[in-house]
């Protein structure tokens, strides 16, 4: 039952990714698509943390920041290739998540939210203040991945937008596959069980603290890789990538589409990524609309868009 | 040889002494019921034995090992699990998944295998699913396997909790009011299930208000009142014990069935 | 020693503002079990509306009263439109709603007002007062004094008046309060109005010193929250003590360690409190009942 579900979801995602470019009015939209996929990737981590394990984080952008600045700093200071910097960033994020997760995850609800918030803001502060290293609030450049010239030599000419569209789509598919694997696995069940009832989960032998920590670390790695890709794609990064607003956007994207599912998260990411694009003329109204959307969705569609739409379709089917 | 030994267990909340100096034991295959008026401390006692509360005084021994204040998941690994009076179901998982979750210790998941859906992990999951169906059969919930647990009736959920607890493979099973809210038929089914489990060698500790059921199936009864043990013995002995009758009915009235 | 006293004064001043924000959190948390992330926006609104009303020609006291009244109204609207409809929703939803509300208010302010920094004239002049070898702005006394006055007034309200006790009863057990005839809907409205008004008043008091712009709310909310947690979430006495302590920590850090990282103090405090004594200085430990 869940096995079929996994491949259906991945299939749908892949089809959308393949078909979408046919609707692009211009090459610019490849970049928008790439942005949607990278945002969806960061949100997948939150699907694991919030959707599966029932925790909350208002500071996950901090891990995106670690991943992003890894790609900016490591090639320059450690001489490694940007692709390796992505892995380095993921490793650093994972370790950080492991260290702070242990004490932080003993908390629940608002306390957990604010503790994670604190973490995110501390990361942003360090990135902003250490100008000598990070270029401060104005940001710093990120070296190029260098894959396009390689592909050109192999006979494949791709624009920057096209390259990142494909690259991010592939990474998102892999990330989605992993998240779906997790869902139907014993580890995923342990996380979902503790979400349902921590007390009962313990009585069947689940070490609740351990599985919360695993969810936290996994979601941190997702955010980190997404942050790295974002940095590489834009060629430039500022401390905002780790900021509170970015964390809020990530959580909103997760919950908007339906925090329990991969497709839902992608939908949420798509909507919130497109919002500023749609509102470019009304840039000043962006915050107003974002705030309004957040409130309205949470009141009227608390499960997120996808489950609500799905429920409506099911009703019509009956 | 007792598999569960409780000695001198006690705990206080603020100034209130909820349980004080309670001792008893349970042998494999034995059904011991804990009864007492409301507020007597039965659930608190359960919570101390099952690791939900840390006892203030006393000791709990499982298979000779001191497990006082041990965390519930470690107790589960040692063969002790429980069900809940107010139901702690994994609402958003299916009925089958609830029971499969009970096999956690059997599956011994590895995070990496699970992230990559390695064949070994998938095989173990499939094996466990089979076993889970067997337990669903035992509590007659096979038909509802694919249903979201939150949709089931109260009585069905009580049986689901038992199936999930059985998945742990317990040597000691704590049942917290398993028949509460059940009608006569359901109660009898639970009755038979419990007797079956005891016959298979599991030590059963029961908290229950349904006196007929308690008297019918228990080998041994422990009576609590105001947090203290006021009597213990076979159903025969306990039902005639003056302190027990007084605790339930008060001392003004004459006991309902006085001898002679 | 002089420098030290200087830090103490600035710490107490900013701490008084944090205390008032924390108090606002506490009132709403006690009334509805919700942590209102939009709390900082009330301070911003108090300052901004006063500025614009004053610049439009109204005398300062009148402008302030109008600002406080409007902000109180916004607080009530926040409850009616965003929080009441989501009663009983999981914590994640409520968090997103109040953060969404703060973003919405910020977004609206950006349009209705502007993105500039604004100031108000000090209430009783700018001549610094010399105390214990350091200088204190008269406005600081307004801020600190104002905070204490509000705390005392509220203490009297909650302990001496019937309405105040009704609020406490509702906070303690909503259903029981309804059953004894307390109009809990009105109590909720009152709580939000009160909380918003207090925030707005803090904004009016502190704008002459720290200036105000449309985005000062976020930082204030976070620090107010840190203060509330330090003192013990839900405890008004804790809000006062927590706020002042936080202000002092921040000022001393800025003075003696690093002014860049003074902003980090609030978050370090949050993390420290959560790990070491999650119930805060004056909070009570709770046992979870199964």
């Amino acid at each position: 039952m869940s096995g079929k579900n996994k491949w259906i979801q991945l299939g749908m995602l892949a089809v959308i990714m393949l078909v979408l470019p046919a609707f692009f009015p211009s090459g610019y939209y490849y970049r928008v698509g790439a942005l949607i996929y990278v945002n969806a990737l960061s949100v997948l981590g939150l699907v694991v943390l919030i959707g599966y394990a029932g925790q909350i984080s208002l500071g996950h952008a901090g891990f995106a920041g670690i991943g992003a600045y890894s790609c900016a700093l490591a090639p320059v200071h450690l001489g490694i290739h940007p692709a390796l910097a992505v892995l380095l960033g993921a490793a650093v994020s994972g370790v950080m998540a492991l260290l702070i997760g242990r004490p932080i995850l003993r908390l629940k609800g608002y306390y957990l939210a604010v503790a994670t918030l604190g973490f995110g803001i501390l990361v942003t502060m360090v990135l902003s203040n250490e100008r000598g290293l990070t270029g401060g609030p104005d940001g710093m450049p990120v070296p190029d991945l260098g894959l396009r010239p390689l592909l050109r030599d192999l006979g494949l000419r791709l624009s920057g937008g096209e390259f990142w569209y494909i690259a991010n789509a592939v990474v998102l598919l892999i990330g989605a596959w992993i998240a779906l694997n997790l869902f139907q696995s014993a580890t995923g069940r342990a996380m979902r069980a503790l979400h349902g009832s921590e007390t009962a989960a313990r009585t069947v032998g689940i070490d609740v603290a351990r599985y919360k920590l695993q969810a936290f670390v996994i979601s941190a790695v997702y955010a980190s890789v997404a942050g790295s890709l974002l940095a590489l794609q834009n060629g430039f990064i500022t401390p905002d990538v780790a900021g509170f607003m970015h964390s809020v956007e990530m959580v909103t994207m997760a919950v908007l589409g339906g925090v329990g599912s991969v497709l839902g998260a992608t939908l949420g990411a798509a909507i919130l990524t497109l919002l500023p694009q749609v509102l470019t003329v009304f840039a000043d109204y962006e915050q107003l609309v974002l705030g309004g959307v957040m409130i309205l969705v949470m009141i009227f569609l608390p499960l997120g868009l996808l489950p609500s739409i799905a429920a409506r379709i099911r009703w019509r089917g009956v | 040889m007792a598999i569960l030994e409780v000695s001198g267990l006690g705990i206080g909340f603020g100034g209130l002494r909820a349980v004080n100096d309670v001792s008893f034991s349970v042998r494999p295959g034995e059904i011991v019921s804990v009864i007492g008026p409301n507020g007597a401390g039965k659930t608190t006692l359960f919570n101390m034995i099952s690791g939900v509360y840390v006892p203030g005084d006393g000791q709990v021994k499982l298979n000779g090992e001191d497990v006082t204040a041990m965390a519930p998941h470690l107790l589960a690994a040692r063969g002790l699990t429980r069900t809940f009076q107010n139901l702690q179901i994994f609402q958003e998982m299916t009925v089958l998944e609830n029971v499969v979750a009970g096999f956690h210790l059997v599956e011994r998941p590895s995070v990496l295998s699970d992230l990559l859906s390695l064949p070994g992990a998938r095989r173990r999951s499939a094996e466990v699913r089979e076993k889970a169906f067997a337990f669903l059969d035992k509590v007659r919930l096979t038909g509802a396997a694919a249903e979201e647990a939150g949709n089931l009736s109260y009585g069905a959920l009580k049986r689901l909790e038992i199936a999930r607890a059985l998945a742990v493979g317990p040597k000691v099973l704590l049942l917290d009011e398993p028949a509460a809210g059940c009608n006569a038929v359901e109660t009898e089914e639970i009755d038979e299930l419990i007797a079956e489990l005891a016959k298979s060698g599991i030590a059963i500790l029961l908290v229950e208000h349904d006196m007929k059921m308690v008297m019918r199936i228990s080998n041994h009864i422990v009576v609590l009142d105001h947090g203290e043990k006021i009597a213990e013995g076979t159903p025969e002995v306990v039902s005639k014990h003056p302190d027990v009758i007084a605790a339930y009915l008060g001392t003004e009235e004459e006991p309902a069935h006085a001898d002679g | 020693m002089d420098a030290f006293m200087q830090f103490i004064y600035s710490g107490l001043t900013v701490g008084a503002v944090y205390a008032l924000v924390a108090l606002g959190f506490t009132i709403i948390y006690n009334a509805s079990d919700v942590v209102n992330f939009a709390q900082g926006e009330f301070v911003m609104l108090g300052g901004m509306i006063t500025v614009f009303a004053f610049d439009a020609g109204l005398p300062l006291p009148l402008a302030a009263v109008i600002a406080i009244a409007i902000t109180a109204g916004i607080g009530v609207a926040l409850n009616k439109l965003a929080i009441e409809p989501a009663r009983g929703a999981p914590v994640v939803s409520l968090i997103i709603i109040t953060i969404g509300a703060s973003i919405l208010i910020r977004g609206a302010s950006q349009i209705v007002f502007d993105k500039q920094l604004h100031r108000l004239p000090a209430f009783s002049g700018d001549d610094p007062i010399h105390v214990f070898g350091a200088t204190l702005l008269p406005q600081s006394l307004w801020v600190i004094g104002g905070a204490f006055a509000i705390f005392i007034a509220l203490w009297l309200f909650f302990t001496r008046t019937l309405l105040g006790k009704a609020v406490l009863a509702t906070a303690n057990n909503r259903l029981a309060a309804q059953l004894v005839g307390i109009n809990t809907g009105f109590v909720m409205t009152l709580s939000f109005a009160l909380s918003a008004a207090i925030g707005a008043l803090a904004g009016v008091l502190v704008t002459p010193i720290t200036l105000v712009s449309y985005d000062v709310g976020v930082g204030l909310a976070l620090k107010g929250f840190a203060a509330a947690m330090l003192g013990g979430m839900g405890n008004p006495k804790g809000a006062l003590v927590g706020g002042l302590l936080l202000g002092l920590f921040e000022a001393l850090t800025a003075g003696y360690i690093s002014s860049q990282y003074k902003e980090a103090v609030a978050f370090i405090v949050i993390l420290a409190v959560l790990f070491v004594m999650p119930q805060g200085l004056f909070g009570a430990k709770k046992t979870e009942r199964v």
Side-chain angles (χ1 to χ4, degrees), chain A residues 125-137:
Chain A
M125 245 182 249
V126 169
L127 293 174
S128 273
N129 289 343
E130 300 303 320
R131 288 169 183 274
L133 198 59
T134 65

Side-chain angles (χ1 to χ4, degrees), chain C residues 76-113:
Chain C
V76 171
L78 173 66
N79 179 36
K80 282 273 171 290
L81 297 176
I83 296 182
E84 284 280 314
R87 195 126 259 288
V91 173
V92 186
S93 296
L94 288 167
I95 288 178
I96 295 185
I97 288 178
T98 56
I99 294 182
S102 96
I103 293 177
L104 185 125
I105 295 176
R106 222 171 20 258
S109 300
Q110 169 179 354
I111 300 170
V112 171
F113 305 119

Side-chain angles (χ1 to χ4, degrees), chain C:
Chain C
M1 184 55 185
D2 296 351
F4 180 71
M5 284 317 293
Q6 200 64 59
F7 299 140
I8 297 286
Y9 296 155
S10 57
L12 286 176
T13 308
V14 75
V17 178
Y18 296 158
L20 288 172
V21 178
L23 183 61
F25 267 122
T26 301
I27 294 176
I28 289 183
Y29 181 75
N30 280 343
S32 65
D33 274 329
V34 169
V35 169
N36 177 22
F37 281 95
Q39 193 66 32
E41 308 308 321
F42 297 146
V43 178
M44 180 273 291
L45 285 171
M48 285 298 258
I49 298 177
T50 309
V51 162
F52 275 74
F54 177 72
D55 285 346
L58 292 173
L60 191 53
L62 184 58
V65 167
I66 291 177
I68 293 173
I70 294 179
T71 308
I74 293 177
V76 171
L78 173 66
N79 179 36
K80 282 273 171 290
L81 297 176
I83 296 182
E84 284 280 314
R87 195 126 259 288
V91 173
V92 186
S93 296
L94 288 167
I95 288 178
I96 295 185
I97 288 178
T98 56
I99 294 182
S102 96
I103 293 177
L104 185 125
I105 295 176
R106 222 171 20 258
S109 300
Q110 169 179 354
I111 300 170
V112 171
F113 305 119
D114 60 34
K115 296 168 114 166
Q116 312 297 326
L117 277 172
H118 293 275
R119 77 179 298 268
L120 286 171
F123 295 179
S124 52
D126 294 299
D127 294 326
I129 309 169
H130 295 274
V131 186
F132 295 129
T135 54
L136 190 57
L137 285 172
Q139 194 64 27
S140 289
L141 290 175
W142 279 102
V143 176
I144 299 173
F148 273 98
I150 294 174
F151 271 93
I152 293 174
L154 273 175
W155 179 75
L156 288 172
F157 173 67
F158 282 127
T159 54
R160 298 289 158 87
T161 70
L162 198 56
L163 184 56
K165 291 188 189 167
V167 174
L168 286 180
T170 309
N172 218 292
N173 186 328
R174 201 180 155 110
L175 184 58
Q178 282 174 329
L179 290 173
V180 299
I182 294 175
N183 183 344
T184 53
F186 176 67
V187 165
M188 290 292 284
T189 301
L190 181 63
S191 301
F192 273 83
L194 203 53
S195 175
I198 291 173
L201 183 52
V204 174
L205 291 173
V206 87
T207 298
I209 304 178
T210 59
L211 309 181
V212 71
S213 71
Y214 84 108
D215 60 358
V216 297
V218 185
L220 282 174
L222 295 174
K223 293 185 190 175
F225 189 88
M229 285 194 43
L230 177 58
M233 199 66 199
N235 187 316
K237 190 170 50 186
L240 180 60
V241 173
L244 293 174
L245 276 179
L246 185 63
L248 288 170
F249 286 152
E250 202 176 90
L252 291 170
T253 303
Y256 293 119
I257 302 177
S258 149
S259 71
Q260 277 196 322
Y261 281 102
K262 79 168 164 92
E263 299 295 312
V265 172
F267 304 107
I268 296 178
V269 163
I270 289 181
L271 291 172
V273 169
L274 286 173
F275 296 153
V276 175
M277 36 158 202
Q279 72 277 15
L281 291 169
F282 296 102
K285 294 202 86 172
K286 284 204 246 167
T287 350
E288 199 181 316
R289 306 199 71 166
V290 179

Side-chain angles (χ1 to χ4, degrees), chain A residues 181 187 192 197 203 211 214, chain B residues 81 88 97 104 111 114-115:
Chain A
N181 286 344
T187 301
R192 293 161 60 210
S197 163
T203 55
Y211 287 96
Q214 284 183 358
Chain B
T81 189
Q88 297 277 333
E97 284 175 322
H104 178 84
V111 106
D114 285 342
L115 288 173

Side-chain angles (χ1 to χ4, degrees), chain A residues 1 6 177-178 181-182 185-187 189-190 192-193 196-197 199-207 210-211 214 218, chain B residues 52 72-73 76 81-82 84 88-90 93 97 100-102 104-105 107 109-111 114-117 125 164 168:
Chain A
M1 163 186 66
K6 167 166 98 178
W177 176 71
I178 293 177
N181 286 344
L182 189 61
S185 73
T187 301
R189 261 192 298 278
R192 293 161 60 210
S197 163
T199 317
R202 290 193 180 97
T203 55
V204 300
I206 294 173
D207 182 348
R210 175 170 156 188
Y211 287 96
Q214 284 183 358
I218 291 172
Chain B
V52 175
H73 69 274
T81 189
R82 65 174 285 183
F84 294 89
Q88 297 277 333
I89 292 289
F90 306 136
M93 294 167 77
E97 284 175 322
V100 172
H104 178 84
L105 291 169
E107 281 198 273
S110 134
V111 106
D114 285 342
L115 288 173
L116 299 174
S117 195
S125 286
R164 184 180 67 191
V168 178

Side-chain angles (χ1 to χ4, degrees), chain A residues 49-311:
Chain A
L49 185 66
I50 303 179
Y52 298 1
Q55 308 303 303
I56 174 89
S57 170
L58 291 181
H60 250 57
F63 296 117
I66 293 177
Y69 274 83
S70 227
C71 288
L73 294 169
V76 172
H77 295 270
L78 298 175
I80 63 176
H81 190 273
L84 281 182
V86 176
L87 293 173
L88 179 63
V92 172
S93 287
V95 169
M96 275 250 77
L98 204 61
L99 291 173
I100 69 164
R102 222 179 278 275
I104 269 187
L105 291 165
R106 281 190 258 137
L107 307 164
K108 299 201 176 109
Y110 289 114
Y111 300 103
L112 175 58
V114 174
T116 51
L117 176 64
F119 162 72
I121 294 201
L122 284 173
V123 171
T124 314
M125 245 182 249
V126 169
L127 293 174
S128 273
N129 289 343
E130 300 303 320
R131 288 169 183 274
L133 198 59
T134 65
D138 294 327
M140 64 181 291
V142 179
D144 193 73
L145 193 54
L147 273 185
R148 278 199 296 138
L150 209 66
L151 291 174
R152 215 179 305 143
D153 292 339
L154 293 172
L156 201 59
R157 288 190 138 272
L158 291 171
S159 74
E162 286 165 342
F163 173 77
W164 284 108
Y165 182 89
I166 298 173
N168 291 353
V170 168
V171 177
L172 179 60
L173 278 173
I174 296 175
W177 176 71
I178 293 177
L180 289 165
N181 286 344
L182 189 61
F183 186 84
Q184 25 169 291
S185 73
T187 301
R189 261 192 298 278
M191 291 177 187
R192 293 161 60 210
L194 75 89
H195 185 180
S197 163
E198 283 193 26
T199 317
R202 290 193 180 97
T203 55
V204 300
I206 294 173
D207 182 348
V208 166
R210 175 170 156 188
Y211 287 96
K212 281 187 187 177
L213 192 57
Q214 284 183 358
F216 197 67
V217 170
I218 291 172
S219 60
V221 170
Y222 269 94
S224 180
V225 172
S228 296
L229 291 176
L230 190 66
L232 290 170
Q233 166 181 341
N234 290 341
F236 195 85
I237 200 68
T238 70
D240 287 340
V241 71
F244 175 54
M245 278 309 291
H246 189 200
S247 288
V248 168
E249 277 163 15
M250 283 169 70
V251 173
T252 307
M253 284 181 204
V255 183
L256 191 63
V259 78
S261 78
V262 164
L263 281 181
T266 312
L267 180 62
I271 294 176
L272 277 188
T273 307
L274 289 172
L275 198 67
Q277 306 288 329
V278 164
L279 291 175
T280 28
V281 189
F282 306 104
D284 275 343
Y285 286 79
E286 193 188 317
Q287 295 219 327
L288 186 61
V289 174
L290 177 63
V293 166
M294 286 166 76
I295 296 177
L296 290 172
V297 172
M298 286 291 86
I299 293 176
F300 294 110
L301 298 171
L303 292 174
L305 284 171
L306 206 63
S308 307
I309 295 174

